[in-house]
Amino acid sequence: MITLRDDLDAITAILDETFKIPGLKRNYDEAFGRIADILYRYSMAENPRNLRFRFILCMQEFFDGIPQDRWRIKDPAFVKQSEDFAIAKFREWVIEQIT
């Protein structure tokens, strides 16, 4: 039996896999399509493009919390921190929508 925790972990894994690929080679449509399929099990009929936009908003929240002169977008650790933050916020949004 698949649990919500399993599905949240699957969503995280999909996003982690996507971010391991170099930027221009990432297939966001496929990644968010897979996430949409997972969410459909919870009666969430979400368009993959809308999910991608939602994720971008989560990423923006990270950057909004830091003065722009402190962004280190060429620093892989900083970029990874922004991705991890956005994934956590996205998971929170999923939980809010399901419960």
Side-chain angles (χ1 to χ4, degrees):
M1 176 179 204
I2 297 174
T3 65
L4 176 58
R5 177 176 289 272
D6 293 334
D7 284 334
L8 289 171
D9 290 345
I11 289 169
T12 299
I14 291 166
L15 292 170
D16 283 338
E17 287 172 22
T18 301
F19 286 124
K20 287 180 185 175
I21 300 169
L24 295 175
K25 295 182 180 184
R26 294 177 185 162
N27 188 340
Y28 292 106
D29 290 337
E30 177 191 349
F32 286 100
R34 290 170 55 197
I35 292 169
D37 291 342
I38 292 169
L39 297 180
Y40 188 75
R41 290 195 281 256
Y42 299 91
S43 301
M44 288 180 64
E46 291 287 339
N47 178 309
R49 297 256 172 164
N50 291 345
L51 291 173
R52 183 176 176 183
F53 182 71
R54 170 62 58 187
F55 186 82
I56 290 169
L57 292 175
C58 294
M59 182 76 72
Q60 181 178 343
E61 190 175 334
F62 173 82
F63 285 98
D64 284 349
I66 300 172
Q68 190 171 357
D69 63 340
R70 293 185 43 214
W71 294 359
R72 299 181 322 268
I73 57 174
K74 295 188 184 220
D75 177 2
F78 180 79
V79 172
K80 178 69 173 141
Q81 183 182 7
S82 71
E83 293 166 355
D84 291 344
F85 178 91
I87 290 170
K89 286 293 181 180
F90 189 78
R91 284 174 58 116
E92 288 175 18
W93 175 81
V94 168
I95 292 168
E96 289 172 7
Q97 300 308 304
I98 292 174
T99 57

